[in-house]
Amino acid sequence: MFRRRGGRYVATFAVDEVRVLRKVATEVVGLLTDGFDHDDPVVGRLFPDVYADDPASSAEVRRYTEGDLKTAKIDQAGAILAALPGNEGGEVRLDAEAAEAWLRALNDARLAMGVRLGVKEGTDLGEELDDAVAADPSSTRVFQLSVYAYLGYLQESLLNALID
């Protein structure tokens, strides 16, 4: 998907891919703004305690860093929204800074979706998807797992283009 062309990282997106990426990035922004809730397990995953065994120290660190981290995550999701072509699909061209923002935003989106979908470290995504299709091929879970897998593919593609 992504390939290096000169100093840019380029990919062409179909209409449906643009819609999915726009929706995912918009949902991340919503989660970090209007929907920001420390009791939400997704927020906990995106902003983990620095000191797992010392909640007071973690709260103190969070007090000084959370605003900047939240702003950075919103800006990174915004980098996806800003670079996407119109609703007709088309080419995305990223410089190195935008590519790194995309990587971080894709990672945040996958972490959020992973929590919502119950994806753990040892989860076999292919098996999960096969089970979901067998249960109900038109289910929301099939779509969400497919988007999760697609985001992983996109992230890997961009990372490989950056490394090459």
Side-chain angles (χ1 to χ4, degrees), residues 28-29 31-33 36 46-47 62 64-79 101 104-105 108:
V28 168
V29 170
L31 174 75
L32 297 171
T33 54
F36 195 77
L46 293 175
F47 297 91
R62 182 175 293 110
Y64 291 107
T65 61
E66 186 175 84
D68 289 341
L69 288 172
K70 193 171 15 168
T71 298
K73 289 178 182 298
I74 292 167
D75 289 348
Q76 291 156 11
R104 289 189 294 273
D108 286 345

Side-chain angles (χ1 to χ4, degrees), residues 15 30 42 47 54 64 77 84 96 130-131 153:
V15 173
V42 171
F47 297 91
D54 187 354
Y64 291 107
L84 286 172
D130 288 345
D131 290 347
Y153 164 74

Side-chain angles (χ1 to χ4, degrees), residues 66-122:
E66 186 175 84
D68 289 341
L69 288 172
K70 193 171 15 168
T71 298
K73 289 178 182 298
I74 292 167
D75 289 348
Q76 291 156 11
I80 289 178
L81 294 169
L84 286 172
N87 291 332
E88 68 280 350
E91 195 171 78
V92 168
R93 295 171 167 270
L94 306 174
D95 61 19
E97 184 179 340
E100 289 179 22
W102 269 59
L103 280 177
R104 289 189 294 273
L106 290 169
N107 189 60
D108 286 345
R110 291 189 77 238
L111 287 172
M113 287 189 78
V115 169
R116 295 282 192 248
L117 292 168
V119 174
K120 305 277 189 239
E121 188 175 327

Side-chain angles (χ1 to χ4, degrees), residues 18-162:
V18 170
R19 286 185 187 136
V20 165
L21 288 171
R22 192 176 313 283
K23 180 156 180 55
V24 166
T26 300
E27 287 180 4
V28 168
V29 170
L31 174 75
L32 297 171
T33 54
D34 302 334
F36 195 77
D37 176 6
H38 283 103
D39 293 329
D40 184 338
V42 171
V43 171
R45 183 70 174 105
L46 293 175
F47 297 91
D49 285 337
V50 176
Y51 305 108
D53 57 342
D54 187 354
S57 293
S58 286
E60 185 70 11
V61 170
R62 182 175 293 110
R63 185 167 72 104
Y64 291 107
T65 61
E66 186 175 84
D68 289 341
L69 288 172
K70 193 171 15 168
T71 298
K73 289 178 182 298
I74 292 167
D75 289 348
Q76 291 156 11
I80 289 178
L81 294 169
L84 286 172
N87 291 332
E88 68 280 350
E91 195 171 78
V92 168
R93 295 171 167 270
L94 306 174
D95 61 19
E97 184 179 340
E100 289 179 22
W102 269 59
L103 280 177
R104 289 189 294 273
L106 290 169
N107 189 60
D108 286 345
R110 291 189 77 238
L111 287 172
M113 287 189 78
V115 169
R116 295 282 192 248
L117 292 168
V119 174
K120 305 277 189 239
E121 188 175 327
T123 299
D124 182 330
L125 191 56
E127 196 174 296
E128 281 288 317
L129 194 49
D130 288 345
D131 290 347
V133 168
D136 180 2
S138 62
S139 72
T140 310
R141 183 163 178 82
V142 169
F143 177 74
Q144 291 170 336
L145 286 167
S146 297
V147 169
Y148 180 83
Y150 170 72
L151 293 175
Y153 164 74
L154 189 59
Q155 188 178 23
E156 182 179 0
S157 165
L158 182 52
L159 184 59
N160 286 336
L162 280 164

